[in-house]
Amino acid sequence: MAAAFPQTQYAFRSLKQLGLTNGPPTYQSLDGFQKPDAQIRTYRYSPDGRFFAFASSLSVQVISTTTSQPISELPLKNVIDLSFSPNGTQISTWERQVKQEDGQPGHRNMKVWNAETGEELAAWGQKAQDGWALQYTPSSHLALRLAGSELQVYDTSDFAKGPIDKVKIDGVSSFKVSPNGAGKEGEESVAVFCGEKKGAPASLKIHPLSALSKPTSSKTFFKADKIQIKWNSAGTSVLFLTQTEVDKTGQSYYGETNLYLMTKGGEFDCRVSLDKEGGIHDFDWSPNDQEFVVTYGYMPAKTVIFNTRVKILHDFGSHPRNFLAYNPQGRLLCIAGFGNLAGQVDIWDRRTLKKVATIDAPNTSHCEWSPDGRYLLCATLSPRLRVDNGMRFFHFTGSLMHIESIEELYQASWRPADASLFPFGQTLEPAPAASASAVTATPVKVAAPAGAYRPPHARGTLTPTFFKREDEGGLAYSSNGTPSPYAAASSANGGARSIPGAPRRVPGAPAPSNDEEEKGGRRKKKGPGGGGKKGSDSPGGGSGAVTPVPVPEPVVAVPEPPAPAELSADDKKRRALMKKLTAIEQLKVKKANGEKLELTQYKKLDSEEEIRQELKALELGSK
């Protein structure tokens, strides 16, 4: 490791404390770090890892991550978000905008400061917290800001002279500045997104900073209320995920999603075609810029690696997964299932495409690779989950290395570092020794799935393909909510599929005649139309055909139960009188037990003799 980064470091923030801790193998608090007494609202590492800033109810403080000595202090009490420039020399703060009195200038709640001296460099009014921070070029010489429909470019050495370049773009809602892996100053670009408006399609345009008003590439599309933009590390290609708030087809609760790929110069662009129905859960560029990975489709989701021409390089199959992350060196790939999934994490060696380990990390709400690419930080945070808060550190071989339980944990992250300082060898190294907290910890017991309920007559038999998940050998989920094809759902135990309550169709028997169909239709109606052919095996009584059975069975006559006899008028009257006498007997019991009766109940008791006379006359008349 380089001298500037002798070891990894991580930070955490909870309700009662703020921590700066050295990473593996020591897991010890940073020497000299004085934990603040005030409650901390947020913290942020600088992208180069030199500085650490935190906002309390008293001020914003910037300290060194190596010596923990204070660097500067900003006199702000209400800051709730922070952001650094790439080189760490400037820090931006955001607080909620406060309405000023009449005649007073607007509240400039977004400010830019010199991180080392604490000098205020610029200030603006920024109402929304979403997308509030300045976006810098990799060298930090230029900063971009969206002001209404105007994209402004500032020289970070002199904010006072105002924007040095700007372009007005109608309907713009977000943008993303490209990195610059080649390291050539002035070749950065910015991807600008404009949503749908008055029937016009949404668009993503790429503008070079050297000629901001002239886009070099453009893509138009529909079904895009929101967008997620990811540049590759060289800044030559961009992946963007579009999403609608509502799926108008009713097939998904989360709206419709589409993934697109576009190059900076416009040489190539396309929609990434995916071969499974359902939404896109996650996508990620490889650090080598030559491939990207996508997990998509109804659960169990499918995970596939594509090259930069959207050709499939590898298919990992279908599993309940919704999170993807390459380690910083691109050697390992994490494919996990968090949120409402069980928390299983698969680690794959990208070079050999073999699975290295499977980790159980239930209740994880934040997962992040360490800068050295060897460890996964899996944290359970509030308010996503308010119990079992804390951090667990796993080696990529699957070994649990360290556990730290912290009540009401809100934030946890690694200190950024240059990935080239931690190269991988030809072979993957084994895990080092774990800390005492991991050795003495009780293993997490993952509850075994109880399985679906099976009625008594189906127990001990094979599960039909119709009821299996896709990764268990079942059929793929289709947009109508059922596996497809439907006919393949015949029981693996033999026999054709039957519908409860429908007349039995005997395999090999001749089809019923039209007269029999009409009699069956009068005897029992099916659906609002009243019809439906007798013996049909298709849902809803349609024209669906059952799979033919090779060997016909002998016809078995199924006797029909006799229709119940119609009651005569005298029988109906006799039954009604008997009901009244039964009710009177029940009232007598209540009266004998001392219960208070109502006036109507007393009248019913008085009518007993009359009812008995009427019943007697009815019996004599029927003889």
Side-chain angles (χ1 to χ4, degrees), residues 9 14 16 29 54 58 75 91 130 189 257 331 339 350 359 401 404 422 455 462 467 469 553 579:
Q9 184 185 105
S14 69
K16 299 180 180 179
S29 295
F54 55 92
L58 302 177
I91 182 173
D130 186 28
S189 298
T257 55
R331 177 65 184 272
R350 178 58 190 92
I359 302 168
M401 307 305 298
E404 203 164 339
F422 315 98
L462 297 177
F467 298 107
R469 265 186 359 205
E553 298 179 5
K579 285 184 178 180

Side-chain angles (χ1 to χ4, degrees), residues 109-130:
N109 60 319
M110 173 188 170
K111 298 180 180 181
V112 182
W113 310 77
N114 186 308
E116 298 182 12
T117 64
E119 177 190 359
E120 183 178 331
L121 303 177
W124 299 277
Q126 178 73 28
K127 186 175 182 180
Q129 185 178 4
D130 186 28

